[in-house]
Amino acid sequence: MLTIDVKKSFHKQHDRLFHLDLSFSVNAGFTVLTGPSGAGKTSLLRMIAGIIAPDEGVIELGSTVYFDSERRIDMQIQQRNVGFVFQDYALFPHMTATQNIAFGVRASASADRRVKAEEMLSLFHIEHIADRLPHEMSGGEQQRVALARALSCEPRIALLDEPLSAVDIETRSKLLDEIESAQDRAKIPFIYVTHNEAEATRLGTNRIYIRDGRVAAAEIA
Amino acid sequence: MIFDALKLSLFVVCCSTAIVGIAGVAFSYLLAKSSFRGKDLLDAFLTMPLVLPPTVTGYYLIVLLGRRGILGSYIYELTGWSFAFTWEGAVVAAVVVSLPLMIKASRASIESVNTDYETASYTLGKGKLETFLRITLPLARRGIFAGLVLAFARALGEFGATLMIAGNIPGKTQTMPLAIYEAVASGDDHRAQVLAVVLTAVSIAAIYLTNKISRTAFYG
């Protein structure tokens, strides 16, 4: 169970103040966040991950408190154990697919990390690009590596920021299958930001529509 | 005589480039990634030798490190040794004048690394030091190499500050630029010519190398 109740003010362009005020709670499974750009979806993901801090409020995952302004808790980003898939993947450009994935594995021996990375490669059907650098991969392959890397640290929650916006329509449907089966295996909450209505309908067990920094509509199963 | 000066110059410049490499990357990281009070002041202070006449830089080095200097007097009291008229003094002069070039180049390249890569590394549980060493540094390596080459070339040509703090003692503190000056002053045109050609060759090689580094494809 993920519980969100956060407030934050941002200075946007032309010094206009933007207020984010979001509260909802969802269970494991898919939660799709939709809404116009600049509504606060990415900021919310970044708050859950601990990249930015809310001004006030609470973020809890199960019994773990990620953030609580009243109790002055702000767990470090490294300790939160989230799997983050960035919009442009943010694959380390100087590392191969295997190295990218092994980077996230929490094992002290490098042999163990490699074994786990190879396991992830085969789970996502990308063994053939194991030794390729990100710029030698197609968009869909990069996306799979990003997903494998995010899940290789066995996270407690996965945060996906428009993960399919950069791949073509044919690849998109295959990747949606992969993402669904990854969630099925991991059994953790997947928070999925998208602009695409088809993706939202297909994945949205829970759907939250965010506009102007607020929850404008929510369907929670 | 020519070989003495060449050997000393290369030795001093290698020492100074090693120091500048480590200190430059550390300062660049500090200036690029953290915010603290007096950051602009530190930046200005470190950059100053770039615009200050080298003799003035050298004068401040004497005030600071000379036998009766602010720090130098303590060092002299404790050890009976001072930076004045030693090769170590020449290294200090070379470090101070070449550090700003290193910082300019490496700071810019550290700042140009997309912060999403660092954030991704943090979300994967890695701390700041590990992230810097495994992500930021390799991605900024071109600028860091370019900075090292520039610092090397600048240190090799260092004259004014070196003369002030280390003097011009043949075989001890007389680096190539000082040897050229002395050769010309004493009318030894042949020696001046040979030294000048050697320094010119090294400088051209440095420019060629920096251009090559900055043009090489980033990966692969």
Side-chain angles (χ1 to χ4, degrees):
Chain A
M1 168 94 116
L2 173 73
T3 307
I4 304 280
D5 181 9
V6 291
K7 288 189 175 68
K8 187 173 178 71
S9 301
F10 297 90
H11 283 282
K12 284 203 152 180
Q13 296 102 322
H14 315 300
D15 247 11
R16 195 167 55 88
L17 210 56
F18 176 76
H19 298 286
L20 199 70
D21 184 353
L22 294 167
S23 84
F24 62 85
S25 56
V26 290
N27 283 316
F30 278 101
T31 300
V32 175
L33 301 180
T34 54
S37 2
K41 304 183 297 294
T42 297
S43 298
L44 175 62
L45 288 194
R46 288 179 173 255
M47 283 184 207
I48 298 171
I51 300 163
I52 54 173
D55 293 338
E56 56 181 291
V58 180
I59 302 171
E60 281 176 358
L61 180 64
S63 56
T64 310
V65 182
Y66 278 177
F67 183 87
D68 187 336
S69 54
E70 270 182 18
R71 285 194 276 167
R72 293 182 166 277
I73 296 171
D74 184 5
M75 193 190 270
Q76 276 197 326
I77 180 168
Q78 286 90 352
Q79 261 72 59
R80 292 194 185 196
N81 201 2
V82 301
F84 205 113
V85 178
F86 292 81
Q87 199 168 358
D88 53 4
Y89 314 134
L91 292 177
F92 306 128
H94 57 305
M95 294 186 192
T96 63
T98 312
Q99 287 168 337
N100 261 285
I101 297 168
F103 189 86
V105 179
R106 290 170 204 266
S108 48
S110 78
D112 292 349
R113 283 198 296 271
R114 210 184 153 79
V115 168
K116 175 76 182 171
E118 277 160 6
E119 200 183 299
M120 296 303 285
L121 283 168
S122 76
L123 266 178
F124 287 91
H125 315 293
I126 43 174
E127 299 100 320
H128 59 288
I129 57 158
D131 296 322
R132 271 190 224 162
L133 293 168
H135 74 105
E136 300 163 332
M137 302 172 194
S138 71
E141 288 165 346
Q142 287 186 29
Q143 214 290 323
R144 284 183 165 90
V145 175
L147 202 60
R149 184 181 71 178
L151 297 173
S152 67
C153 59
E154 287 166 6
R156 304 190 49 210
I157 183 168
L159 306 169
L160 301 94
D161 192 1
E162 298 189 44
L164 302 185
S165 60
V167 296
D168 56 76
I169 296 168
E170 283 164 53
T171 322
R172 208 171 268 198
S173 134
K174 278 187 212 150
L175 282 169
L176 275 173
D177 290 341
E178 303 272 356
I179 292 172
E180 277 188 311
S181 57
Q183 197 281 329
D184 207 39
R185 284 192 301 266
K187 303 209 175 354
I188 54 172
F190 269 49
I191 313 294
Y192 190 104
V193 169
T194 184
H195 282 292
N196 183 303
E197 187 52 37
E199 284 173 38
T201 315
R202 182 162 155 192
L203 296 177
T205 337
N206 303 311
R207 290 186 58 169
I208 293 171
Y209 182 76
I210 296 176
R211 205 174 62 198
D212 292 330
R214 268 152 232 277
V215 175
E219 282 170 43
I220 289 168
Chain B
M1 285 293 274
I2 291 173
F3 272 106
D4 279 352
L6 180 63
K7 239 164 58 188
L8 181 70
S9 260
L10 288 178
F11 178 69
V12 166
V13 168
C14 288
C15 289
S16 92
T17 307
I19 296 170
V20 162
I22 294 165
V25 167
F27 278 124
S28 302
Y29 182 72
L30 199 69
L31 292 170
K33 293 289 172 192
S34 57
S35 53
F36 53 91
R37 276 181 60 159
K39 182 170 132 171
D40 290 341
L41 210 67
L42 177 70
D43 188 20
F45 178 75
L46 291 170
T47 313
M48 197 118 94
L50 204 59
V51 287
L52 222 51
T55 43
V56 176
T57 305
Y59 173 75
Y60 287 133
L61 285 177
I62 293 175
V63 170
L64 190 70
L65 295 173
R67 193 168 291 186
R68 274 170 294 174
I70 300 167
L71 282 174
S73 59
Y74 289 106
I75 297 172
Y76 186 64
E77 244 173 64
L78 280 170
T79 62
W81 176 87
S82 110
F83 278 100
F85 306 112
T86 62
W87 66 265
E88 289 93 334
V91 171
V92 170
V95 166
V96 170
V97 298
S98 60
L99 188 62
L101 289 168
M102 175 71 195
I103 291 179
K104 290 275 168 223
S106 66
R107 179 182 176 176
S109 70
I110 287 172
E111 280 173 344
S112 73
V113 173
N114 184 345
T115 52
D116 272 356
Y117 297 136
E118 288 151 359
T119 309
S121 168
Y122 297 152
T123 64
L124 294 166
K126 303 294 187 256
K128 283 201 164 168
L129 184 67
E130 190 175 354
T131 299
F132 179 67
L133 295 176
R134 292 181 62 189
I135 306 296
T136 319
L137 211 53
L139 293 178
R141 66 179 186 269
R142 269 200 310 183
I144 289 168
F145 280 137
L148 280 173
V149 175
L150 286 172
F152 183 92
R154 174 66 186 86
L156 192 65
E158 170 44 32
F159 181 85
T162 311
L163 184 62
M164 296 291 279
I165 180 99
N168 182 13
I169 308 165
K172 196 171 171 227
T173 66
Q174 191 181 67
T175 56
M176 297 235 293
L178 293 162
I180 293 176
Y181 172 75
E182 195 170 280
V184 172
S186 63
D188 190 345
D189 284 351
H190 176 68
R191 201 152 65 92
Q193 229 170 50
V194 173
L195 285 163
V197 167
V198 172
L199 270 190
T200 309
V202 174
S203 305
I204 290 172
I207 292 173
Y208 174 76
L209 207 61
T210 24
N211 283 344
K212 202 173 149 94
I213 292 167
S214 55
R215 261 193 240 118
T216 319
F218 213 127
Y219 314 106

